[in-house]
């Protein structure tokens, strides 16, 4: 699942670059005026547009894959979950207050024991 998340981040960065490179007028990488359609600049715009659609489709597919794996409990998440559950099962449950073992209460009016360590 970690691999898919890293792949999704890379695809998103590539998609952002593809969108930023495109010219809003549809020219794509075109910097010139009337001669901008010469030498295949229009084709570059088409490639960028198709690449954008492909990357968008990949984002959707990878996102749905991550969601499906997370809901079904992928192999990496169940391993950690079972270890936590095992640790919880090993932990002893505390007894309720007032029940279980009885202990003798401490005497109420006894002064604390002190030792004098100074020599006279």
């Amino acid at each position: 699942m970690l691999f898919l998340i890293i792949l999704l981040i890379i695809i998103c960065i590539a998609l952002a670059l593809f969108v930023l490179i495109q010219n809003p007028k549809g020219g794509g990488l075109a910097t010139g005026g009337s001669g901008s359609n010469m030498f295949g600049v229009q084709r570059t715009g088409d490639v960028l547009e198709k690449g954008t659609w492909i990357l968008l489709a990949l984002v959707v597919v990878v996102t749905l894959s991550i969601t499906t794996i997370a809901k079904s409990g992928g192999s990496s998440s169940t391993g950690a979950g079972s270890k936590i559950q095992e640790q919880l099962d090993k932990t002893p449950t505390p007894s309720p207050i007032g029940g279980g073992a009885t202990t003798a209460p401490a005497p109420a009016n006894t002064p604390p024991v002190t030792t004098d360590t100074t020599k006279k």
Side-chain angles (χ1 to χ4, degrees):
M1 185 151 122
L2 180 65
F3 170 74
L4 288 176
I5 293 173
I6 293 171
L7 183 66
L8 181 64
I9 292 170
I10 291 170
I11 292 172
C12 287
I13 291 171
L15 180 63
L17 291 175
F18 268 59
V19 169
L20 289 174
I21 289 172
Q22 291 180 13
N23 191 0
K25 297 176 184 172
L29 293 179
T31 56
S34 62
S36 65
N37 285 339
M38 295 180 128
F39 307 115
V41 176
Q42 183 63 35
R43 284 195 142 186
T44 305
D46 292 340
V47 169
L48 289 174
E49 184 179 348
K50 287 180 183 177
T52 302
W53 283 108
I54 290 171
L55 288 173
L56 180 64
L58 284 173
V59 166
V60 171
V61 169
V62 172
T63 304
L64 290 175
S65 300
I66 291 172
T67 305
T68 305
I69 291 173
K71 284 192 176 192
S72 68
S75 60
S76 63
S77 64
T78 56
S82 64
K83 289 180 183 177
I84 293 172
Q85 188 61 40
E86 287 175 12
Q87 186 66 26
L88 287 173
D89 291 341
K90 290 179 184 177
T91 307
T93 56
S95 62
I97 297 176
T102 58
T103 58
N109 294 329
T110 56
V113 178
T114 59
T115 58
D116 190 15
T117 59
T118 59
K119 296 200 177 204
K120 295 184 184 182

